[in-house]
Amino acid sequence: MIKRFYSKLFRGLPSYQRIIYLINQHQLALQALHISLTANAQTTCAWVDSTTLPVCKNQRIQRHKSLKQIATRGKSSIGWFYGCKLHVLVNAQGQFIQTQLSNGHTSDIKILPKLAQGYMGKIFGDRGYISETLKDKLGMQGIELITYHCKNMRRVELSPEDEIMLRQRNKIETIFSLLKQQYNLVSSRHRSISGYFAGIYASLCAYQICHQNKPQFTTI
């Protein structure tokens, strides 16, 4: 599109192969930029969730070779996939406090302690984070994990304030939708691990820098 409509403004545009090469060469720079753009962890409320990053359709799993070193089969609420997962911790302004990448089969419970390093306050998550062991471990870090209870569990009484903030957890899904639909977070075109990571960090940086009206969480 740039070459077709804005060729006068951008002379000497690189070829597709050259663009891929440049992206692969700048993976670490994009990762460093993303980290520098993350919000200050000094906040009292945060929301956590993860999303799938499939690298191909399920029908092509056996033929997919370029990312087989990091991609694994995993299962989400909508079914099985083959790829990785993005875990995010966001503040009330819809900004990333911390992000982590994992294999597709890695449990959200396993990632959260590392994701929340350096943070102190309340974290609101879905039922995928229910674990007494996890709550105790986070409590030692000065973190209170708040989730809904399962049907076969003893009912957890939440304060009205915590109930309101927990109900807003699905706003993270809006952030994931923006990343995937507007900033091309998911793609099956990557042909190397470095290019795959570079594409992910490029999408995260684009959201952090370019998206002005980030989803907002109401705090009380």
Side-chain angles (χ1 to χ4, degrees):
M1 184 177 290
I2 292 177
K3 187 174 182 179
R4 181 178 179 183
F5 296 104
Y6 302 100
S7 58
K8 293 182 180 179
L9 299 177
F10 298 93
R11 299 184 183 278
L13 287 172
S15 64
Y16 175 79
Q17 290 77 11
R18 179 63 178 170
I19 290 176
I20 297 300
Y21 172 80
L22 292 173
I23 289 176
N24 292 344
Q25 292 298 306
H26 291 83
Q27 176 208 330
L28 294 178
L30 289 167
Q31 184 176 355
L33 175 60
H34 163 62
I35 293 173
S36 70
L37 292 171
T38 53
N40 192 318
Q42 298 303 316
T43 180
T44 57
C45 295
W47 290 259
V48 66
D49 205 352
S50 67
T51 189
T52 61
L53 303 176
V55 298
C56 67
K57 294 182 178 180
N58 289 341
Q59 297 91 326
R60 295 184 61 249
I61 291 177
Q62 298 300 326
R63 289 178 289 164
H64 189 88
K65 304 297 182 183
S66 57
L67 300 176
K68 65 178 182 180
Q69 292 178 295
I70 59 173
T72 59
R73 292 175 186 258
K75 190 175 184 180
S76 69
S77 58
I78 59 174
W80 290 92
F81 72 98
Y82 180 72
C84 299
K85 291 171 70 175
L86 172 67
H87 308 259
V88 303
L89 187 69
V90 301
N91 63 12
Q93 288 72 46
Q95 301 169 323
F96 299 128
I97 297 175
Q98 183 64 274
T99 64
Q100 290 285 336
L101 291 170
S102 74
N103 302 115
H105 70 277
T106 304
S107 168
D108 294 347
I109 293 175
K110 184 177 180 180
I111 294 295
L112 184 52
K114 186 177 180 180
L115 188 68
Q117 281 184 354
Y119 172 81
M120 295 181 66
K122 294 181 179 180
I123 293 180
F124 299 90
D126 61 18
R127 292 180 176 86
Y129 296 92
I130 294 177
S131 169
E132 290 300 324
T133 303
L134 176 62
K135 282 191 175 184
D136 293 341
K137 188 173 183 178
L138 292 177
M140 296 176 66
Q141 299 177 218
I143 298 170
E144 182 182 359
L145 177 62
I146 299 174
T147 66
Y148 287 118
H149 63 280
C150 292
K151 293 181 179 180
N152 60 347
M153 295 176 60
R154 180 173 58 85
R155 181 176 179 82
V156 178
E157 296 296 335
L158 300 177
S159 68
E161 294 81 7
D162 289 347
E163 184 76 30
I164 290 173
M165 286 190 281
L166 186 57
R167 287 177 181 174
Q168 300 179 75
R169 192 208 56 78
N170 58 3
K171 290 185 180 180
I172 297 185
E173 299 296 338
T174 303
I175 296 176
F176 290 149
S177 295
L178 288 169
L179 287 170
K180 292 180 178 181
Q181 297 176 14
Q182 192 166 336
Y183 298 107
N184 302 316
L185 178 65
V186 175
S187 174
S188 60
R189 300 177 182 176
H190 301 297
R191 296 297 176 263
S192 68
I193 293 176
S194 60
Y196 177 69
F197 287 146
I200 291 173
Y201 289 119
S203 299
L204 296 176
C205 290
Y207 168 81
Q208 290 167 286
I209 296 172
C210 302
H211 203 81
Q212 301 299 319
N213 299 318
K214 295 179 175 64
Q216 303 285 308
F217 297 79
T218 301
T219 56
I220 299 175

